[in-house]
Amino acid sequence: MFSPMPASAVRIRDLRKTFGAVEAVAGVDLDIADGEFFSMLGPSGSGKTTVLRMIAGFERPTAGTIELGGRDVTGLAPFDRDVNTVFQDYALFPHLDVLRNVEYGLKVRRVPRAKRRERALEALRSVRLDGMGARRPAELSGGQRQRVALARALVNEPKVLLLDEPLGALDLKLREEMQVELKAIQRRAGITFVFVTHDQEEALTLSDRVAVLDRGRIEQVGTPAEVYERPATAFVAGFVGTSNRIGGVCVRPEKIDVDTEPGAAPADADQHGAEPRGTGSGDRHAMGTVAEVVYAGAATRFVVDLESGERVVALQQNLRTSSMDVMRHRGARVRISWHSAHEFHVPDARS
Amino acid sequence: MDDDQGLTAREPDRPAPGLRRRAAALLHRRPRLRLSLLLSAPLAWLVVVYLGALAAIFLTAFWTTDTFTGEVVRTFTLDNFRGLWDEPVYRTIALRSLGVAAAVTAIDTVLGLPMAFYMAKVARPRYRTYLVIAILAPLWAAYLVKAYAWRVMLSEGGLIDEALRPFGLSGPGYGLTATVIVLAYLWLPYMILPVYTGLERLPDSLLDAAGDLGARPLRTFRSVVLPLVYPSLVAGSIFTFSLSLGDYITVKIVGGRGQLIGNVVYDNIGAAGNLPFAAAVATVPVVVMLGYLAAARRTGALREL
């Protein structure tokens, strides 16, 4: 139409927020596309939740603008914005039953009783909570409360759904289930999700794109693969997964192969990588001593001190080995190898 | 081996457990004994002094006085209660007292709720302690001093009159209105504190959530804050209501000629020397408060006290 590009669901320009002397958000620009599952990933204090709260309208930005669907909402109160939030503590109204919690937004917006009951029941069905409408939040488990919170937000059919570490309070198993469910709901509803988390695995699993934040600034925005494989800064490389510095390059732990019997390999092949013994071997090598072996079920983590003095972590899938096998390698001399294609460079850390 | 010998050699050296140690061990083994030792003194106080006094009042209410000698006659009679019921002046006073207590409670609710809300939800957390102290501070001043201060302020040409003069108004003077004002002032902290505690326990995210779902502030207040803080309000009202119902000093000081239940009790003990009748009158607020507490119990307010 008039604009050359379709308006982003969320468009943020030079957003800043200071609390007293603390700059929680220090100039953030973001464009989140319609229907995107977008995550903001960062450690606590990185400003990710503050950005989310400013999108929702709970915090007023110190400077900058926020547009939702092309409309500047920077000065608008939460109740005038077409977004809904799933809170970290769920924030369910304890004095209302589940159905009335879900109906709340519709009731406030004067949707007729029959219509809103129908939509609330439908929303409860979509989060697999049919028949729970008469319960109080206190009578539900953590996972069920989480889903009520989701239904209460989704029933309003917002343009953008904001999720503030919604899975943080759940145990691992439930969290993984909810991740799958969240993704399915997002696809089905076609709503833009803005998801805040400090869990890098969660962000990588769920998102179309991830923004990595640190100290109120965006370090990198990209697809999970970009952020993981090609981290733009040392912070991203360190926060999203583990990265090993070897010489001037970085290598992810799972890309490093540990050869526990270096004597068996031809010694003269070390420099030129001419021995295609296993799939894991690469064209780069280094010798070292195993400082620690950690058995972690599906994989084993080797901490290796290289001759160069650097310490690297290597992750080996436990395809054939068992715990008893790996434990005896502590203190052993090993040869590690990796492919140069898996190396990446990051600029030196800022501080 | 050396170590072993050392250990066995030291063993007999350990002093035999002292009396205190043995007593402590005994108490540890016998939790019931421990509990009864702990509670016997407070229980004795509660039963003998506190409940005993209440029972004595109640019992006295069924006695009467000899009109000639002024001696208490210890024979069972319902005369006091009959008189209380038949004499219209006492009914008027009882109803007036209830009205004053209700008005004080209403005023304290209207004043206390926004103040408590400001303290719990608006003010910065580090100022909250100071605000609580500020609310508590008037309670440290003597009751009489505060009441007389109000007497001075309410006097003709006093501070209140002066302040209202520019608006062409004058103060209420001494009377029932003054009584209500002063009682509302005196008991306000007892309303603010439970409501503040209740609001502080209310997560901020609930307010955010209501706004997020489209509710304007007034709607949020009505549909989320009020229902959740209601038990605390009732808890506060128990204080303001019962304290107002039993008061007789403020009425004496700023109440003019108006009388409340408390005055009737006071006058019957002092001037009239009719202790049984005073006791009968005193049971009225007790009965009213029992009814009030029973009603409050249903709101869950008793858990907020």
Side-chain angles (χ1 to χ4, degrees):
Chain A
M1 303 241 296
F2 300 108
S3 58
M5 293 233 307
S8 315
V10 183
R11 197 178 121 99
I12 293 172
R13 285 294 172 269
D14 195 31
L15 193 67
R16 284 166 196 281
K17 178 73 185 178
T18 51
F19 295 105
V22 183
E23 194 165 38
V25 177
V28 162
D29 296 276
L30 270 183
D31 288 278
I32 300 172
D34 224 4
E36 194 172 21
F37 198 124
F38 189 90
S39 291
M40 291 195 278
L41 173 66
S44 58
S46 61
K48 55 190 192 302
T49 294
T50 310
V51 172
L52 195 83
R53 288 177 60 80
M54 287 194 280
I55 300 175
F58 305 139
E59 307 279 356
R60 201 165 272 264
T62 309
T65 57
I66 299 168
E67 287 176 21
L68 293 173
R71 175 170 169 240
D72 188 341
V73 299
T74 314
L76 291 187
F79 45 81
D80 286 326
R81 299 186 185 202
D82 194 8
V83 296
N84 285 113
T85 307
V86 176
F87 293 84
Q88 185 171 16
D89 64 353
Y90 316 138
L92 300 178
F93 303 126
H95 59 300
L96 302 178
D97 62 27
V98 166
L99 189 65
R100 289 202 168 76
N101 261 286
V102 176
E103 278 184 336
Y104 188 88
L106 300 174
K107 195 174 172 192
V108 166
R109 298 210 156 92
R110 300 217 175 87
V111 175
R113 176 186 289 270
K115 182 82 187 153
R116 81 176 178 244
R117 180 117 322 172
E118 187 190 319
R119 277 172 65 181
L121 289 172
E122 171 60 35
L124 281 177
R125 231 186 337 269
S126 77
V127 295
R128 299 192 290 117
L129 280 178
D130 9 6
M132 297 290 214
R135 304 247 185 124
R136 289 289 175 99
E139 297 165 342
L140 301 179
S141 70
Q144 289 170 330
R145 279 181 223 178
Q146 221 290 311
R147 293 205 293 254
V148 175
L150 202 58
R152 185 179 68 174
L154 285 170
V155 76
N156 304 294
E157 295 170 358
K159 291 259 171 51
V160 179
L161 187 72
L162 308 172
L163 302 105
D164 183 9
E165 308 223 12
L167 309 180
L170 304 181
D171 61 55
L172 182 65
K173 189 110 186 104
L174 207 51
R175 194 156 66 220
E176 284 171 349
E177 274 174 37
M178 280 305 297
Q179 284 175 3
V180 174
E181 216 162 306
L182 262 186
K183 189 75 188 168
I185 287 169
Q186 193 260 343
R187 273 208 204 97
R188 207 163 54 222
I191 294 175
T192 310
F193 274 35
V194 182
F195 187 91
V196 158
T197 180
H198 64 264
D199 182 334
Q200 44 109 0
E201 208 174 304
E202 197 166 275
L204 297 183
T205 315
L206 290 172
S207 321
D208 296 319
R209 281 195 305 150
V210 180
V212 184
L213 280 87
D214 181 40
R215 288 184 267 178
R217 286 191 178 78
I218 291 186
E219 294 276 314
Q220 186 175 6
V221 183
T223 64
E226 283 168 2
V227 169
Y228 188 74
E229 310 274 347
R230 296 273 171 267
T233 67
F235 175 80
V236 177
F239 190 73
V240 184
T242 314
S243 66
N244 296 303
R245 253 174 197 280
I246 308 173
V249 300
C250 293
V251 186
R252 294 289 188 193
E254 73 279 9
K255 301 284 165 62
I256 295 175
D257 190 48
V258 180
D259 184 356
T260 51
E261 286 163 37
D268 59 340
D270 265 5
Q271 302 308 313
H272 301 289
E275 77 312 82
R277 272 186 310 108
T279 47
S281 304
D283 53 352
R284 305 278 172 125
H285 315 280
M287 297 297 291
T289 312
V290 177
E292 194 59 71
V293 188
V294 181
Y295 177 74
T300 299
R301 192 181 301 272
F302 288 85
V303 180
V304 181
D305 287 325
L306 299 183
E307 283 169 347
S308 59
E310 288 157 322
R311 172 169 275 204
V312 301
V313 177
L315 200 66
Q316 303 283 286
Q317 292 295 311
N318 289 337
L319 298 177
R320 286 170 296 275
T321 52
S322 78
S323 62
M324 286 308 109
D325 288 338
V326 299
M327 284 314 178
R328 66 187 161 83
H329 294 310
R330 191 174 294 137
R333 275 196 55 80
V334 293
R335 193 182 66 152
I336 62 164
S337 55
W338 66 94
H339 277 288
S340 52
H342 292 147
E343 293 173 352
F344 58 89
H345 298 261
V346 293
D348 279 330
R350 287 172 306 177
S351 52
Chain B
M1 280 309 275
D2 268 0
D3 275 356
D4 269 350
Q5 280 170 346
L7 268 179
T8 43
R10 258 199 302 276
E11 202 75 79
D13 283 351
R14 256 171 75 174
L19 190 60
R20 274 164 50 145
R21 211 176 172 77
R22 270 183 299 171
L26 180 71
L27 287 179
H28 179 77
R29 283 197 306 273
R30 308 208 171 214
R32 271 171 190 279
L33 180 65
R34 194 169 63 204
L35 198 66
S36 47
L37 280 177
L38 202 65
L39 286 185
S40 49
L43 267 180
W45 173 270
L46 188 71
V47 171
V48 176
V49 179
Y50 199 80
L51 294 179
L54 262 182
I57 290 177
F58 199 62
L59 200 62
T60 314
F62 292 102
W63 293 339
T64 183
T65 39
D66 189 301
T67 29
F68 284 115
T69 60
E71 294 285 312
V72 173
V73 182
R74 300 186 178 186
T75 47
F76 181 84
T77 169
L78 286 173
D79 281 354
N80 295 322
F81 290 101
R82 210 171 287 132
L84 206 57
W85 187 256
D86 289 342
E87 203 71 56
V89 66
Y90 294 122
R91 220 177 306 164
T92 312
I93 290 175
L95 287 177
R96 184 192 294 151
S97 302
L98 284 178
V100 167
V104 168
T105 301
I107 291 172
D108 281 347
T109 305
V110 170
L111 291 180
L113 191 53
M115 284 170 91
F117 188 84
Y118 176 82
M119 287 164 61
K121 292 290 164 211
V122 184
R124 296 220 184 135
R126 61 196 164 112
Y127 294 135
R128 279 179 199 163
T129 319
Y130 299 109
L131 289 169
V132 170
I133 291 170
I135 295 297
L136 284 173
L139 294 181
W140 303 336
Y143 177 105
L144 275 179
V145 172
K146 288 182 285 186
Y148 273 106
W150 273 98
R151 185 182 168 88
V152 174
M153 286 199 287
L154 286 163
S155 63
E156 221 175 297
L159 204 64
I160 306 258
D161 272 348
E162 284 300 323
L164 290 175
R165 184 164 306 150
F167 308 99
L169 299 166
S170 64
Y174 302 138
L176 223 49
T177 315
T179 309
V180 170
I181 291 173
V182 176
L183 287 177
Y185 158 81
L186 286 171
W187 311 139
L188 185 59
Y190 296 98
M191 176 61 85
I192 291 178
L193 290 177
V195 176
Y196 164 76
T197 317
L199 281 171
E200 213 187 18
R201 246 179 314 172
L202 183 93
D204 290 350
S205 63
L206 290 186
L207 308 184
D208 283 345
D212 186 71
L213 292 165
R216 281 155 204 289
L218 208 62
R219 178 80 181 235
T220 302
F221 182 79
R222 191 158 51 82
S223 64
V224 177
V225 178
L226 210 52
L228 289 174
V229 83
Y230 182 70
S232 308
L233 273 175
V234 175
S237 79
I238 290 173
F239 289 120
T240 57
F241 196 85
S242 65
L243 289 170
S244 304
L245 209 54
D247 190 87
Y248 62 96
I249 302 174
T250 295
V251 200
K252 274 255 184 269
I253 296 172
V254 300
R257 282 180 296 120
Q259 277 212 321
L260 298 182
I261 294 180
N263 303 108
V264 179
V265 177
Y266 184 79
D267 292 345
N268 270 294
I269 295 169
N274 191 344
L275 201 59
F277 189 71
V281 177
T283 55
V284 172
V286 173
V287 169
V288 169
M289 276 324 291
L290 283 178
Y292 199 97
L293 286 174
R297 211 174 88 98
R298 317 189 64 185
T299 68
L302 299 195
R303 273 174 273 134
E304 306 289 317
L305 286 175

